[in-house]
């Protein structure tokens, strides 16, 4: 039996979430445009791609949020941003000699559900000019139920929505007041019902643990209310308190936050409740009904991890649009200009807004594969890595041997060439993954808590 408290005390240093490898702090400014053009030139017309669109606007400032957002109470800045986004798509299409087939599209934010029917229709038009759609294209959108009006769901259906991701966080009024996010259960219930009535068959709910003033009873009540809505998937994220990155998080009182062990107990209890009601635990923080495509991917070893978390998206290429969005190619990451005002200025001046980037080495790709499989499958067979450089595989395997030999808590086992995170230690998968991160420098870069 693992002594969880001892593990948390020993591995007290924060670690990355590993939604990419190398992680974003390793990106270099000023190289994105060149990397982007080269990567586009290497695309295979027969291979579908995925896309991410960032809508960085919210009509309320949620104090817990660590995303790149802008608070606005007027719609004019959003409409202007969407016109700029349409221009970015035009600049992208100018560089293409073909229209890639779009396999998956995700709209994140901010709050994409702020978009009105006119902007959603414009977005569909520019998407169809840039990409080929077919009946298999999956389109997911993050939705704040408080943004939804009678025309919102209709506009999202016209866009082609196939999966809705509903933000909940916590339903208790005191917790909501502490994070500046009032949202009644009834509002959320009605939006979920409206989406189902419109024919949306896949619904995800995001909840958080580790929030200020969030007791065990309050968290359990929130999870029970979420379960009553019968979502196909649930994500149970730990609140990342990073006020050095997001200044508005300073509005959250540190004294109102749970300690590391209390956070762990909250996460474990909430996960147990979901599993006991029929959800399959997936990765470190996702849950899905057994027939859901993500649950099937987890069981068959075909699940992946990207900037949206765990996903069925197997496309090698993801193209990012909008301020701060990150794209992924076979051998590079490329990030758009982060400040929204500069992003709009660049695009409206005819400049494709590719700023930060990173050219992947052979070692980066190997370590990224190892980290992704550990995060998704909790296991990696070093004997199956024949496509990678042999001496680099041997070096990583030696690191695995050293970690297993020196690990005081038996988080992992090594059977021949197969490294496996023990079932009772899966909450600590990020700690194991960090052993293979050649860039990990906690004294230089500040990350969120490991659990």
């Amino acid at each position: 039996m693992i002594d969880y408290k001892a593990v948390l005390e020993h591995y007290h240093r924060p670690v990355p979430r590993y939604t990419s490898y190398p992680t974003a702090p390793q990106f270099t400014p000023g190289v994105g445009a060149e990397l982007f053009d080269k990567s586009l030139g290497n695309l295979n017309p027969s291979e579908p791609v995925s896309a991410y669109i960032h809508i960085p606007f919210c009509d309320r400032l949620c104090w817990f949020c660590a995303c790149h957002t802008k608070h606005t109470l007027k719609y004019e800045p959003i409409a202007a941003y969407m016109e700029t986004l349409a221009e970015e798509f035009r600049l992208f299409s100018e560089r293409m000699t073909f229209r890639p087939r779009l396999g998956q599209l995700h709209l994140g934010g901010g709050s994409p559900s702020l978009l009105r029917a006119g902007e959603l229709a414009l977005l569909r038009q520019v998407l169809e000019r840039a990409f080929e759609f077919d009946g298999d294209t999956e389109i997911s959108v993050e939705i704040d139920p408080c943004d939804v009006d009678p025309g919102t769901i209709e506009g999202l259906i016209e866009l082609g929505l196939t999966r809705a991701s509903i933000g909940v966080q916590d339903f208790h009024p005191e917790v909501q007041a502490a994070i500046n996010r009032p949202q009644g259960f009834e509002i959320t219930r009605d939006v979920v019902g409206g989406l189902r009535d419109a024919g949306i068959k896949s619904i995800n709910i995001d909840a958080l643990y580790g929030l200020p003033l969030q007791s065990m009873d309050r968290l359990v009540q929130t999870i029970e209310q979420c379960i009553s809505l019968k979502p196909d998937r649930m994500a149970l994220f730990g609140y990342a308190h990073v006020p050095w990155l997001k200044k508005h998080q300073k509005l959250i009182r540190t004294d109102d936050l749970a300690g590391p062990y209390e956070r762990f107990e909250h996460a474990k209890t909430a996960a147990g409740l979901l599993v006991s009601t029929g959800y399959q635990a997936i990765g470190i923080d996702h849950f899905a009904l057994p027939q859901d495509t993500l649950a099937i991917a987890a069981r068959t070893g075909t699940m992946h991890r990207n900037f949206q978390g765990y996903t069925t998206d197997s496309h090698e290429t993801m193209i990012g649009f909008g301020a701060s969005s990150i794209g992924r190619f076979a051998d590079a990451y490329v990030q758009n200009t982060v400040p929204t005002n500069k992003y709009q200025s660049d695009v409206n001046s005819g400049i494709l807004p590719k700023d930060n980037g990173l050219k992947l080495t052979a070692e980066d790709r190997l370590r990224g594969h190892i980290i992704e499989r550990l995060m998704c499958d909790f296991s990696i067979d070093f004997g199956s890595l024949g496509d990678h450089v042999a001496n680099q595989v041997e070096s990583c395997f030696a690191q695995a041997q050293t970690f297993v030999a020196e690990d005081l808590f038996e988080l992992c086992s090594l059977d021949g060439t197969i490294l496996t995170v023990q079932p009772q230690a899966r909450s600590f998968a990020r700690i194991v993954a960090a052993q293979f991160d050649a860039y990990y420098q906690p004294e230089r870069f500040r990350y969120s808590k490991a659990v």
Side-chain angles (χ1 to χ4, degrees):
M1 184 67 181
I2 290 179
D3 184 341
Y4 297 112
K5 193 169 187 178
V7 174
L8 291 168
E9 289 175 354
H10 183 78
Y11 292 107
H12 63 278
R13 295 188 300 183
V15 294
R17 290 185 179 270
Y18 292 116
T19 52
S20 72
Y21 182 83
T23 56
Q26 307 304 326
F27 295 178
T28 301
V31 303
E34 182 180 359
L35 287 174
F36 188 73
D37 284 340
K38 286 182 178 179
S39 296
L40 287 186
N42 292 330
L43 290 184
N44 183 344
S46 66
E47 293 291 330
V49 303
S50 59
Y52 172 75
I53 299 175
H54 190 67
I55 311 296
F57 291 95
C58 295
D59 55 2
R60 56 182 174 178
L61 181 63
C62 300
W63 297 342
F64 71 89
C65 183
C67 300
H68 173 65
T69 62
K70 286 178 71 70
H71 180 222
T72 180
L73 297 177
K74 298 179 179 179
Y75 195 73
E76 288 80 3
I78 301 172
Y81 177 87
M82 294 305 293
E83 292 289 344
T84 302
L85 189 66
E87 178 64 11
E88 184 190 356
F89 273 93
R90 189 189 69 78
L91 294 172
F92 163 75
S93 294
E94 279 185 349
R95 286 163 164 76
M96 300 298 297
T97 57
F98 65 95
R99 288 165 62 216
R101 183 159 63 89
L102 188 61
Q104 291 200 7
L105 169 67
H106 184 82
L107 269 69
S111 296
S113 48
L114 279 173
L115 298 179
R116 295 176 181 170
E119 281 64 49
L120 289 169
L122 171 65
L123 183 56
R124 180 70 191 200
Q125 291 171 11
V126 299
L127 282 165
E128 288 181 342
R129 286 197 292 264
F131 296 102
E132 288 187 2
F133 284 75
D134 59 30
D136 295 326
T137 302
E138 296 183 14
I139 300 178
S140 60
V141 179
E142 295 174 10
I143 294 176
D144 177 349
C146 295
D147 293 336
V148 175
D149 62 30
T152 302
I153 294 177
E154 183 179 346
L156 290 172
I157 296 298
E158 290 297 317
L159 177 68
L161 178 71
T162 61
R163 185 173 71 253
S165 184
I166 311 293
V168 166
Q169 323 322 333
D170 190 286
F171 282 125
H172 196 281
E174 284 191 42
V175 178
Q176 291 180 353
I179 61 175
N180 197 40
R181 178 159 176 125
Q183 178 180 321
F185 171 74
E186 293 76 13
I187 292 172
T188 307
R189 179 199 61 203
D190 291 347
V191 168
V192 170
L195 288 164
R196 288 208 170 104
D197 290 344
I200 301 304
K201 294 182 171 58
S202 182
I203 292 179
N204 171 82
I205 287 180
D206 290 347
L208 289 179
Y209 66 89
L211 290 171
L213 303 180
Q214 187 183 51
S215 65
M216 181 74 82
D217 288 344
R218 290 173 176 179
L219 175 61
V220 166
Q221 183 178 14
T222 289
I223 299 302
E224 288 175 340
Q225 288 175 298
C226 290
I227 291 171
S228 75
L229 300 176
K230 298 184 171 73
D232 303 271
R233 303 177 187 178
M234 270 200 66
L236 181 64
F237 298 123
Y239 164 58
H241 192 57
V242 288
W244 55 90
L245 288 178
K246 298 297 177 181
K247 303 303 181 187
H248 55 259
Q249 288 191 354
K250 292 181 179 180
L251 296 168
I252 291 177
R253 283 168 32 94
T254 304
D255 290 346
D256 290 338
L257 298 173
Y261 188 63
E262 188 179 1
R263 275 174 62 101
F264 179 82
E265 286 296 306
H266 286 185
K268 189 169 75 167
T269 298
L273 181 57
L274 284 161
V275 171
S276 71
T277 51
Y279 287 85
Q280 177 183 332
I282 293 171
I284 61 172
D285 51 20
H286 281 51
F287 302 83
L289 295 175
Q291 68 273 21
D292 183 82
T293 55
L294 190 65
I296 295 169
R299 292 197 299 272
T300 57
T302 57
M303 185 169 68
H304 293 273
R305 187 164 172 82
N306 63 21
F307 299 104
Q308 284 73 60
Y310 290 107
T311 177
T312 60
D313 184 359
S314 61
H315 305 113
E316 191 171 56
T317 297
M318 173 185 285
I319 302 171
F321 296 92
S324 81
S325 65
I326 300 176
R328 180 196 66 235
F329 297 90
D331 60 354
Y333 288 109
V334 176
Q335 183 177 27
N336 271 8
T337 302
V338 174
T340 302
N341 290 341
K342 187 173 189 310
Y343 159 81
Q344 292 183 265
S345 175
D346 285 350
V347 173
N348 293 332
S349 298
I351 301 170
L352 202 62
K354 306 300 174 182
D355 186 3
N356 303 326
L358 180 70
K359 174 76 171 176
L360 298 176
T361 66
E363 183 177 354
D364 289 336
R365 291 194 292 273
L366 168 62
R367 290 181 178 273
H369 175 74
I370 292 170
I371 287 172
E372 183 181 40
R373 293 338 303 161
L374 285 170
M375 295 293 294
C376 291
D377 305 332
F378 303 109
S379 181
I380 182 70
D381 183 0
F382 290 90
S384 69
L385 302 178
D387 292 340
H388 298 273
V389 180
N391 65 340
Q392 294 173 354
V393 173
E394 291 169 3
S395 175
C396 290
F397 181 56
Q399 285 181 265
Q401 290 175 306
T402 300
F403 177 67
V404 171
E406 296 179 351
D407 177 25
L408 301 173
F409 308 102
E410 298 182 352
L411 302 181
C412 296
S413 64
L414 195 57
D415 182 7
T417 58
I418 301 175
L419 177 70
T420 301
V421 181
Q422 301 283 28
Q424 64 271 29
R426 290 181 173 181
S427 299
F428 305 114
R430 288 166 60 195
I431 292 171
V432 178
Q435 310 307 311
F436 301 95
D437 184 346
Y439 300 93
Y440 179 48
Q441 295 178 285
E443 66 282 354
R444 182 179 176 190
F445 301 107
R446 300 176 75 177
Y447 306 103
S448 58
K449 295 180 184 297
V451 178

